[in-house]
Amino acid sequence: MKSNLRELYHVEENQKGFIAQGAFSHVYACRRKNGNQQEPLCVKIIKKKIYTMNRTLQEIEILNEIKQLKSENLLHIDHISESESQFEVVMERCDMDLEQEFKLLKSKNKWYTEQDCLNIVTQIMNGIRVLYNKNIIHRDIKPANILVKIINTDKNEQKRVYQIADFGFSRILNDFCGVDYYTQLGTPLYASPQIFGSEPYSGKCDIYSLGILFYQLFFEGNMPNQLQTKGDLLNFHKTLENKQFKFNSPKYHNAKLITHLLQLMIVYKEEERISFEQIFQHQILKIKISFNYSDSIFSEVQQGDCLNKLYAMQLQLYRKYLFYKSVSQKLVQSQQIEVQAALYCLTQLGFKQLHFCLGFIHIIISDIHPHFNKDNIYPLLQELKLCEMNIDKHPQYQLLIKIIKQKYYSEKGDLQKQMNQLETEQNSNTQKSESMRTFMEIFQLSKSANIEQKQLTDLLQLFLEQKLLIGFEADIKKSILLEERFPIQNSQDINPDDIFKV
């Protein structure tokens, strides 16, 4: 186990790479120096302290055991090393924990479907079964210690893997069912009455904690009896000691089976609490889950997030068009040739925003690809495809697309008229200024090739520097600034409401 971890991994042991902090440890981001360098990993650094050494050695022993097990529903351990001052455990870095997932769904006024709940319960119990077979007691089962790994499939779907983590309070028991005075650990709201009351307990303490967690899962994140304080918990335990836990059935098809299991798990006396063998044989775990991503709440959440994100991107591009259009209308009455040239540049800039919109709407890679790097373009294309399939769920977006299409073809006609007018005037004008000669080079090029927005804003800047746009300087400066502040490649991060604040 003794090795120099820094020879194998890049460890970001700084503020930027900091992920979390425990009572006796810190977690930082890291990656392999060789092999798959893109796999997200993290390293848990546990300092050696005399007063915590026994517990630390116990945790390292269990982590070494789990490293060998390689269960999908237990935290994946990549490497463990030891130095004179600390232990370092390299682990798979997941996307969030179950507590954070609860908060995410609540923030969107959503909750799991029954299939989601059964899938999560099954995965957690698969991990628990592996621990049980190795006589490992966890002693701190709670949503924050269930990690969530999101795996994107090639079908534009997501697979969520739930992994039991944080074995800092875990222990290997010689007799899993034997009752003894073990160290009083855990999180009070999830700890069994025996742990909470400093009484002897066995491996069945984890069953109570799982019962509380599963109750939250089936009841939209709520605790039994709305437990909040230590007093609430004491009263709840007293009630459990005298009578069976009673509650309204969850609003799911298998409500009777769910209620039956929870009432057997959330039990005060250990001898009356259901055993692990009985849970593994319970009917709730025998329900065959034909899990389709489309039936998951995360399919709906992903669709909604995707639609809102792309709607915002299109809206800010459309508002950029409106900004350029509003400035163009101020220039349209002027007969000065340089002002007409500036008008053409502005019309082109506005038309390009609509053109980008059409690229998003019809998923035309050639219209959007040059403006996004290779790491961003594939996820964006996947989102565009998902959006295309679910556009009927976003009436505002549907209306915006209709407006964009109408404006696109209208502006295309106006742009052609401007081009014809400018060409006629230039053919009759034999004396051209330096700025107009530069403009005409780009103007002629625009007939057969794509002109970058930077070329157009540079022309506007040239007209300003030569003081050829008297009376329009402020609006032209804003137009140039608009493109600098809100380039298309940043469109995923731009708030549409900021466009008119330039």
Side-chain angles (χ1 to χ4, degrees):
M1 184 167 63
K2 291 192 176 183
S3 65
N4 187 353
L5 181 130
R6 269 62 175 181
E7 294 178 0
L8 303 173
Y9 301 88
H10 290 287
V11 178
E12 293 185 54
E13 197 171 348
N14 50 46
Q15 188 173 359
K16 182 181 177 182
F18 177 78
I19 295 175
Q21 178 177 344
F24 313 108
S25 63
H26 291 79
V27 181
Y28 296 94
C30 74
R31 57 185 172 83
R32 292 190 182 90
K33 289 187 175 181
N34 300 305
N36 183 3
Q37 297 180 15
Q38 301 304 313
E39 182 182 2
L41 299 172
C42 61
V43 57
K44 182 177 183 179
I45 299 174
I46 309 169
K47 298 293 183 181
K48 291 182 177 179
K49 304 286 185 182
I50 295 175
Y51 56 91
T52 59
M53 186 55 75
N54 287 339
R55 184 185 298 170
T56 299
L57 291 174
Q58 192 169 266
E59 179 181 1
I60 295 299
E61 178 188 5
I62 290 171
L63 291 176
N64 270 307
E65 185 76 36
I66 289 170
K67 183 174 181 287
Q68 304 303 318
L69 296 174
K70 299 186 184 303
S71 167
E72 182 181 51
N73 300 118
L74 296 178
L75 178 66
H76 172 69
I77 307 296
D78 199 70
H79 184 84
I80 300 175
S81 68
E82 178 185 2
S83 66
E84 290 185 6
S85 61
Q86 62 194 30
F87 291 98
E88 296 172 316
V89 183
V90 178
M91 308 170 287
E92 179 180 38
R93 181 158 33 125
C94 292
D95 296 278
M96 66 182 80
D97 60 49
L98 193 58
E99 182 176 52
Q100 292 169 327
E101 190 167 90
F102 284 179
K103 291 178 181 177
L104 173 67
L105 290 175
K106 279 180 167 289
S107 71
K108 298 177 183 294
N109 293 318
K110 306 287 184 184
W111 197 251
Y112 301 101
T113 65
E114 183 169 14
Q115 277 196 318
D116 286 323
C117 291
L118 295 176
N119 176 43
I120 295 169
V121 168
T122 300
Q123 289 197 47
I124 292 174
M125 291 311 301
N126 285 343
I128 289 293
R129 190 194 299 266
V130 176
L131 296 179
Y132 175 76
N133 289 337
K134 292 293 182 179
N135 277 2
I136 297 174
I137 180 176
H138 190 281
R139 296 197 292 187
D140 198 20
I141 296 287
K142 58 182 179 181
N145 286 340
I146 306 296
L147 301 184
V148 185
K149 181 72 175 177
I150 302 173
I151 301 172
N152 292 310
T153 70
D154 57 1
K155 296 180 180 178
N156 197 35
E157 297 181 355
Q158 292 179 344
K159 176 184 178 183
R160 284 175 126 74
V161 179
Y162 295 87
Q163 302 176 343
I164 301 170
D166 199 340
F167 295 88
F169 291 164
S170 300
R171 177 171 178 160
I172 299 175
L173 302 181
N174 293 324
D175 181 3
F176 198 87
C177 297
V179 177
D180 205 343
Y181 283 95
Y182 301 112
T183 308
Q184 308 304 306
L185 299 167
T187 303
L189 287 174
Y190 298 89
S192 72
Q194 289 69 39
I195 290 181
F196 186 77
S198 299
E199 300 172 12
Y201 63 89
S202 70
K204 292 177 82 173
C205 66
D206 281 349
I207 294 173
Y208 180 92
S209 302
L210 286 164
I212 299 296
L213 188 153
F214 292 164
Y215 182 95
Q216 280 189 284
L217 190 61
F218 288 113
F219 288 91
E220 300 187 1
N222 295 314
M223 296 291 286
N225 288 26
Q226 299 299 314
L227 302 178
Q228 298 291 335
T229 67
K230 185 176 180 180
D232 293 339
L233 202 54
L234 284 169
N235 291 333
F236 180 61
H237 288 169
K238 286 180 182 178
T239 303
L240 280 182
E241 191 173 10
N242 297 314
K243 59 182 180 181
Q244 186 184 38
F245 179 39
K246 297 287 185 181
F247 53 91
N248 295 326
S249 296
K251 298 174 182 178
Y252 291 121
H253 176 72
N254 291 287
K256 287 185 178 180
L257 286 177
I258 294 167
T259 301
H260 181 255
L261 178 61
L262 293 179
Q263 286 184 327
L264 293 175
M265 296 177 79
I266 305 175
V267 172
Y268 186 91
K269 296 178 181 177
E270 281 204 344
E271 62 271 21
E272 296 177 4
R273 201 176 297 156
I274 190 173
S275 68
F276 278 106
E277 291 91 343
Q278 290 170 321
I279 296 176
F280 298 144
Q281 294 302 314
H282 195 276
Q283 289 299 311
I284 203 75
L285 293 181
K286 293 184 178 181
I287 297 173
K288 292 185 178 180
I289 307 172
S290 178
F291 191 78
N292 296 313
Y293 180 70
S294 58
D295 296 328
S296 168
I297 189 60
F298 294 105
S299 172
E300 182 180 340
V301 169
Q302 185 188 17
Q303 289 169 12
D305 287 349
C306 177
L307 286 165
N308 288 331
K309 173 184 175 180
L310 292 171
Y311 171 70
M313 289 174 68
Q314 299 271 41
L315 184 59
Q316 62 94 3
L317 287 170
Y318 179 65
R319 286 184 178 178
K320 282 175 71 177
Y321 153 74
L322 291 177
F323 186 97
Y324 290 126
K325 185 69 173 177
S326 67
V327 177
S328 297
Q329 288 172 343
K330 296 178 181 180
L331 277 63
V332 75
Q333 298 300 323
S334 176
Q335 298 302 311
Q336 182 186 336
I337 189 64
E338 288 85 3
V339 175
Q340 289 301 306
L343 173 61
Y344 175 78
C345 292
L346 290 167
T347 305
Q348 273 278 16
L349 285 167
F351 182 72
K352 281 186 173 295
Q353 311 313 309
L354 297 175
H355 188 74
F356 293 143
C357 286
L358 264 290
F360 286 120
I361 292 167
H362 297 301
I363 317 180
I364 303 171
I365 298 176
S366 59
D367 287 343
I368 59 177
H369 177 68
H371 304 282
F372 293 87
N373 63 46
K374 62 181 181 180
D375 295 326
N376 290 339
I377 191 64
Y378 180 73
L380 178 60
L381 289 175
Q382 295 300 100
E383 289 174 337
L384 288 170
K385 290 175 184 176
L386 181 64
C387 182
E388 186 179 42
M389 292 187 292
N390 297 281
I391 192 66
D392 58 318
K393 297 178 182 177
H394 202 307
Q396 281 181 297
Y397 196 178
Q398 283 181 300
L399 178 59
L400 180 61
I401 287 174
K402 183 179 179 180
I403 293 171
I404 287 171
K405 288 181 178 179
Q406 290 172 346
K407 294 293 184 183
Y408 176 83
Y409 292 108
S410 173
E411 288 296 311
K412 190 174 183 180
D414 289 346
L415 192 60
Q416 187 60 52
K417 289 178 183 177
Q418 285 188 31
M419 291 178 72
N420 294 340
Q421 185 178 347
L422 273 169
E423 195 153 34
T424 300
E425 291 184 9
Q426 282 302 300
N427 288 337
S428 62
N429 186 2
T430 55
Q431 292 186 344
K432 298 183 181 71
S433 64
E434 181 184 345
S435 57
M436 283 305 299
R437 282 196 294 271
T438 303
F439 168 78
M440 286 308 296
E441 288 176 8
I442 294 175
F443 174 78
Q444 294 299 334
L445 185 62
S446 71
K447 294 179 182 180
S448 57
N450 181 46
I451 301 299
E452 292 296 324
Q453 296 180 100
K454 182 71 165 57
Q455 293 174 281
L456 297 167
T457 55
D458 283 349
L459 278 173
L460 291 174
Q461 185 63 44
L462 178 62
F463 290 146
L464 280 177
E465 290 172 356
Q466 296 189 3
K467 302 187 186 311
L468 298 172
L469 302 175
I470 304 300
F472 304 108
E473 295 93 339
D475 288 317
I476 297 299
K477 285 178 182 177
K478 287 181 180 179
S479 299
I480 296 170
L481 182 60
L482 183 73
E483 199 52 47
E484 291 175 355
R485 285 186 56 186
F486 305 114
I488 183 175
Q489 55 266 36
N490 294 348
S491 57
Q492 298 181 72
D493 304 314
I494 296 170
N495 183 346
D497 293 337
D498 292 338
I499 299 298
F500 288 102
K501 295 178 182 178
V502 174

